[in-house]
């Protein structure tokens, strides 16, 4: 498998003493910022390597990941399905502003959401709304990797620092690494998509499309996600 140099730079050789990479993020107004990071490391230390992606769960076949990393542990962050769809929609709007080509024409969130849901029912493939259906995808990932290798985090629980610290400590245990004090990290909000706010009335209306899927998710995981309309 061939990787782009920028991506490959994030995974230095085991004897490397430093890692240099370009980090892209969004500022508080949703604008793109770039920064070159230089990280030093002890080449004799045991390193746990991971990757965060918003697309893997929904768009990558778990069999493919399993074949490449059979012993991987997976951390799955699940967000209120309408909020996730709206965030994805904002990303597509930003792509259009940046001049990128996307496979659909955007008008307004509600109209485009309903079109995307219809598209999913017609040919099984949506671009942003469909990706918030979690239950069947999770069952498939659990079947391939095993439930014991998947730790699920409710994204909303990361908004409170004390709750977030507890969750992150639990994840350290899940990954079999030493616990860490994350208070300095939790001060910052990164990758913020902008200041647009979803109309709560519309949020309640669109939640109906996901309500049954959320019930199936709760039945499968044995936990309540408390996503109310």
């Amino acid at each position: 498998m061939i990787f782009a140099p920028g991506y490959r730079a994030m995974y230095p050789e085991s004897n490397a003493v430093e890692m240099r990479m370009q980090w892209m993020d969004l500022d508080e107004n949703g604008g793109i910022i770039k920064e070159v990071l230089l990280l030093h490391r002890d080449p004799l230390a045991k390193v746990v390597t991971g990757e965060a992606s918003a697309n893997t769960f929904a768009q990558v076949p778990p069999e493919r990941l399993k074949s490449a990393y059979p012993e991987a542990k997976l951390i799955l962050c699940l967000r209120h399905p309408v909020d996730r769809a709206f965030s994805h929609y904002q990303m597509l709007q930003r792509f259009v502003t940046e001049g990128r080509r996307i496979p659909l024409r955007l008008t307004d969130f509600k109209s485009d959401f309903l079109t995307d849901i219809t598209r999913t029912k017609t040919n099984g493939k949506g671009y942003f709304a469909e990706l918030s259906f979690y239950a069947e995808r999770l069952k498939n990932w659990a079947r391939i990797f095993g439930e014991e290798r998947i730790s699920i985090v409710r994204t909303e629980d990361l908004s409170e620092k004390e709750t977030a610290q507890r969750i992150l400590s639990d994840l350290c245990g899940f990954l079999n690494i030493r616990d860490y004090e994350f208070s300095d990290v939790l001060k910052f909000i990164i990758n913020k998509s902008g200041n647009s706010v979803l109309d709560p009335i519309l949020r309640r209306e669109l939640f109906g499309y996901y309500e049954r899927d959320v019930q199936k998710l709760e039945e499968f995981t044995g936990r309540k996600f408390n996503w109310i309309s």
Side-chain angles (χ1 to χ4, degrees), residues 11-68:
Y11 300 90
E13 300 294 332
S14 58
N15 60 348
V17 296
E18 67 178 33
M19 178 179 74
R20 183 185 299 271
M21 60 176 287
Q22 185 177 75
W23 181 263
M24 295 182 63
D25 204 341
L26 300 179
D27 61 23
E28 293 184 355
N29 297 314
I32 294 178
I33 56 176
K34 298 179 180 180
E35 182 179 2
V36 175
L37 302 180
L38 179 62
L39 307 177
H40 297 276
R41 55 175 285 189
D42 179 356
L44 300 179
K46 182 179 179 181
V47 177
V48 176
T49 301
E51 179 183 24
S53 168
N55 304 319
T56 301
F57 175 63
Q59 298 177 325
V60 175
E63 297 87 350
R64 181 179 179 185
L65 196 64
K66 179 71 172 179
S67 66

Side-chain angles (χ1 to χ4, degrees), residues 28 42 48 52 73 77 84 86 94 114 132-133 136 139 148 152 164 171 175 183 186 192 198 209 211 215 228:
E28 293 184 355
D42 179 356
V48 176
K73 291 185 176 181
C77 292
R84 195 224 64 83
F86 182 59
R94 189 175 72 250
L114 297 177
S132 290
F133 290 107
E136 294 305 318
K139 290 179 183 179
E148 72 283 354
I152 301 173
L171 290 177
L175 297 173
S183 57
L186 294 171
K192 186 177 179 181
L198 180 62
Y209 289 93
E211 198 162 10
Q215 292 173 357
I228 58 177

Side-chain angles (χ1 to χ4, degrees), residues 19 29 58 61 75 103 109 122 132 151 166 204:
M19 178 179 74
N29 297 314
I75 300 170
F109 178 60
T122 302
S132 290
S151 182
R166 186 180 72 250
R204 287 195 296 271

